[in-house]
Amino acid sequence: MDIKFIRTNPDLAKEILIRRHEKISLDEILAIDEKRRQLIQVRDQTRMEHRQLTEEIAKIMKSRQVSNEYNQANIDSIIIECKTLGQKVKDIETELAQIELDLENKTKYLPNVAHESVPDEDTVVASWGAKPDFSFKPMAHWDVGEALQILDFKAASKLAGSRFVLYKGLGAQLERALINFCLDTHVKKNGYTEINPPVLNLEDCFYNTGALPNLADEMYKCTQDPFYLIPTAEVPLVNLHRNEGFNEDDLPKYYTAYTPCFRREAGSYGKDVRGMIRIHQFDKVELVKITVQENSYDEQEKMRKDIEELMQMLNLPYQVKLLSASEMAFQSAKTYDIEVWAAGCEAWLEVSSISNCESFQARRANIRVRRKTGELEYVHILNGSGLAFPRIYVAILENYQQKDGTVIIPEVLRPYMNGQVKIG
RNA sequence: GGAGAGGUGGCCGAGCGGUCUAAGGCGCCCGCUUGCUAAGCGGUCGUGCGGGUAAAACCGUACCGUGGGUUCAAAUCCCACCCUCUCCGCCA
């Protein structure tokens, strides 16, 4: 929702905010914008006058070299007038800069417009697989993992404190197998291009994706250098083409990246403290697509299918939730969450969030496409996790656990673990 | 971290205080010419912001890595920073 849209459709814009439970005053924004536009007009007018005088001086200076018909006083008076105008322009620019900063500070908190298919309540729209039956009481993953000595929370806390995990032996191999399985599937089967990006990114990148300003407290910031640690590979993938233009034929672009992700989890003290459901550093394979606007919702469905297929290949029961307007991330127009069933915790855990951000991020990152008609427009950008591993790991340990304490390895992962069939 | 070179339109590349409204070339698109290909000739071709319009046309203004400064006037002069390349130092 940019300022032009608000200016032309103020009532519609207000409704949109109400749907998303946002309490930002658009009237204030509109008033600032009005003032801004007035100032721009005055500034440009003054600048024009200034320029004309400058040109006149240039002419005089030139002809003076040939003849001496202009006297010094004459020129001096024009120069003084010119100086005055120049100062006036500077004053206006100072005032304008303040107003534009003000406007930016207000508009950067405006969320994306929710798509018309987005409901007012979270809605489960699909589910797959059956919750496993056990002849015994299934254990939580932290018990399974520690008993098998593949997870070591104590060692992790020695190194980094709470909310970290350390994988060991076959446990570390399992994590690596998950990463490779997902990447390989996206690259070989679904046509995504693999990227291995920096995980320290500059502040602008975070603003462009929508992570800043809202999630500032969620991220780790470097004190000596202007970096943040990425909370998701969405940040580098979306910014890969920052300030670039595409031809229509270049699109769509499909990208995938494995990266560690870092989150402070501020404000969730005491929530999910045990185990690895909510940790400060975790591995994730991310998907990002860049498309022309009319294809983005089809592409979102395709992305959802790509991710669901991973779940099915891993044989993990899941449900798909269509998020309500008020639950979605700030930058998203439509989001599906995929939740895996974890038998030990007896909970649905979010393992993927598939968002169509439409042109929200493209506007901030300035990524456009030249259409065949010659027109320039913003691209649509989508992202989805495929997948976030700790919770997949949790589901595997809890759903695949056996009475004797061993854990069967999902079939698709065995080739990545030297054919190993089970752990323990 | 130290020394040097550089950053100009879609690309190459000139310009180093006042017709820069950015040369020239390549490329793109349109037209003409030529039996196809190639070549030739002419024309067109940026983005943001504001105004204007039903939409265009059009008008104003800004933009030569970024941000400041000097000047009546900055791509051009000064300062700071960023990035790229080369060399040196340090280091996985």
Side-chain angles (χ1 to χ4, degrees):
Chain A
M1 197 152 68
D2 67 343
I3 187 66
K4 273 184 192 163
F5 176 84
I6 298 169
R7 199 191 298 151
T8 13
N9 315 285
D11 294 334
L12 186 58
K14 281 173 199 170
E15 268 180 54
I16 287 162
L17 287 187
I18 291 168
R19 255 197 105 199
R20 296 199 69 140
H21 299 187
E22 279 290 344
K23 297 186 207 78
I24 296 169
S25 159
L26 286 187
D27 291 332
E28 198 183 345
I29 288 173
L30 285 168
I32 299 171
D33 179 53
E34 180 61 34
K35 183 119 186 264
R36 169 180 151 265
R37 285 184 299 154
Q38 273 173 17
L39 267 186
I40 286 173
Q41 282 192 57
V42 177
R43 182 200 60 187
D44 284 356
Q45 179 64 32
T46 314
R47 263 213 286 238
M48 182 174 66
E49 287 164 17
H50 180 257
R51 210 204 71 210
Q52 282 167 354
L53 272 189
T54 300
E55 274 168 18
E56 205 173 310
I57 293 168
K59 253 184 248 162
I60 293 170
M61 298 302 252
K62 232 183 194 177
S63 61
R64 219 158 67 121
Q65 289 166 0
V66 192
S67 67
N68 249 331
E69 56 193 286
Y70 293 92
N71 63 50
Q72 194 58 43
N74 207 340
I75 296 170
D76 284 352
S77 78
I78 296 179
I79 287 180
I80 287 168
E81 199 185 337
C82 215
K83 252 185 178 163
T84 314
L85 277 176
Q87 190 53 48
K88 200 171 158 194
V89 170
K90 265 186 192 164
D91 290 346
I92 298 171
E93 274 176 342
T94 308
E95 193 184 347
L96 189 60
Q98 188 54 50
I99 286 174
E100 282 184 332
L101 189 70
D102 198 16
L103 189 64
E104 195 197 316
N105 281 332
K106 297 255 166 27
T107 51
K108 73 181 177 188
Y109 288 100
L110 291 173
N112 202 350
V113 179
H115 188 253
E116 57 187 12
S117 64
V118 169
D120 288 327
E121 299 289 337
D122 291 353
T123 312
V124 173
V125 293
S127 62
W128 184 92
K131 296 181 185 175
D133 270 335
F134 290 98
S135 59
F136 57 97
K137 170 101 174 110
M139 292 187 286
H141 62 279
W142 50 83
D143 290 330
V144 179
E146 291 197 317
L148 291 171
Q149 297 184 41
I150 56 172
L151 297 180
D152 192 336
F153 293 100
K154 238 185 210 142
S157 77
K158 271 189 205 171
L159 304 177
S162 68
R163 288 199 193 284
F164 282 89
V165 66
L166 183 145
Y167 306 93
K168 207 160 67 182
L170 281 176
Q173 274 188 51
L174 178 61
E175 180 75 358
R176 195 148 53 84
L178 278 167
I179 295 167
N180 284 330
F181 162 67
C182 288
L183 276 179
D184 282 352
T185 306
H186 293 312
V187 170
K188 291 177 190 160
K189 181 161 163 288
N190 302 330
Y192 291 80
T193 303
E194 183 174 345
I195 303 288
N196 193 328
V199 299
L200 288 168
N201 283 195
L202 295 167
E203 180 161 341
D204 277 355
C205 298
F206 296 88
Y207 176 72
N208 290 342
T209 63
L212 285 176
N214 302 47
L215 299 181
D217 291 344
E218 261 309 304
M219 297 194 292
Y220 292 101
K221 186 179 184 175
C222 294
T223 54
Q224 315 244 339
D225 295 293
F227 303 126
Y228 288 85
L229 276 166
I230 59 170
T232 160
E234 173 190 351
V235 175
L237 289 181
V238 167
N239 281 283
L240 221 151
H241 292 291
R242 169 148 67 115
N243 290 327
E244 281 182 26
F246 288 106
N247 288 315
E248 194 169 336
D249 293 337
D250 300 334
L251 301 179
K253 291 275 186 201
Y254 287 17
Y255 291 114
T256 183
Y258 152 71
T259 66
C261 300
F262 304 91
R263 299 188 182 179
R264 293 187 61 231
E265 300 298 348
S268 55
Y269 304 110
K271 199 168 149 196
D272 307 320
V273 277
R274 270 199 102 174
M276 51 194 281
I277 290 172
R278 191 174 294 277
I279 47 185
H280 290 311
Q281 175 188 332
F282 62 96
D283 292 321
K284 180 157 68 68
V285 165
E286 183 75 1
L287 305 175
V288 162
K289 287 184 178 184
I290 303 174
T291 79
V292 292
Q293 50 96 14
E294 69 270 22
N295 292 342
S296 68
Y297 282 93
D298 288 344
E299 290 288 358
Q300 188 180 20
E301 295 304 320
K302 270 172 70 183
M303 186 184 278
R304 178 184 148 189
K305 191 172 141 264
D306 292 340
I307 294 166
E308 282 193 47
E309 279 174 4
L310 290 177
M311 297 298 288
Q312 293 170 16
M313 286 189 270
L314 288 166
N315 200 19
L316 293 169
Y318 65 88
Q319 62 181 19
V320 182
K321 218 190 232 176
L322 178 56
L323 294 191
S324 65
S326 57
E327 279 299 309
M328 284 190 299
F330 177 73
Q331 65 270 24
S332 178
K334 182 177 183 178
T335 298
Y336 291 110
D337 272 3
I338 292 188
E339 300 179 333
V340 70
W341 175 252
C345 305
E346 293 189 27
W348 292 102
L349 303 177
E350 181 192 329
V351 289
S352 179
S353 197
I354 307 156
S355 296
N356 185 351
C357 297
E358 295 195 358
S359 63
F360 183 96
Q361 297 174 327
R363 285 169 196 280
R364 294 185 170 206
N366 188 28
I367 306 171
R368 294 182 295 179
V369 55
R370 171 85 58 189
R371 301 305 299 253
K372 294 228 169 72
T373 58
E375 238 153 310
L376 261 186
E377 64 185 31
Y378 289 107
V379 297
H380 276 197
I381 301 180
L382 304 83
N383 69 79
S385 344
L387 296 155
F389 295 124
R391 294 176 183 176
I392 292 292
Y393 204 109
V394 165
I396 289 173
L397 293 195
E398 295 189 359
N399 295 2
Y400 279 89
Q401 63 181 299
Q402 307 297 306
K403 198 171 182 177
D404 61 2
T406 60
V407 171
I408 304 283
I409 297 168
E411 231 175 290
V412 288
L413 297 180
R414 293 175 196 165
Y416 293 95
M417 297 185 71
N418 302 314
Q420 189 98 15
V421 175
K422 66 175 185 174
I423 301 174

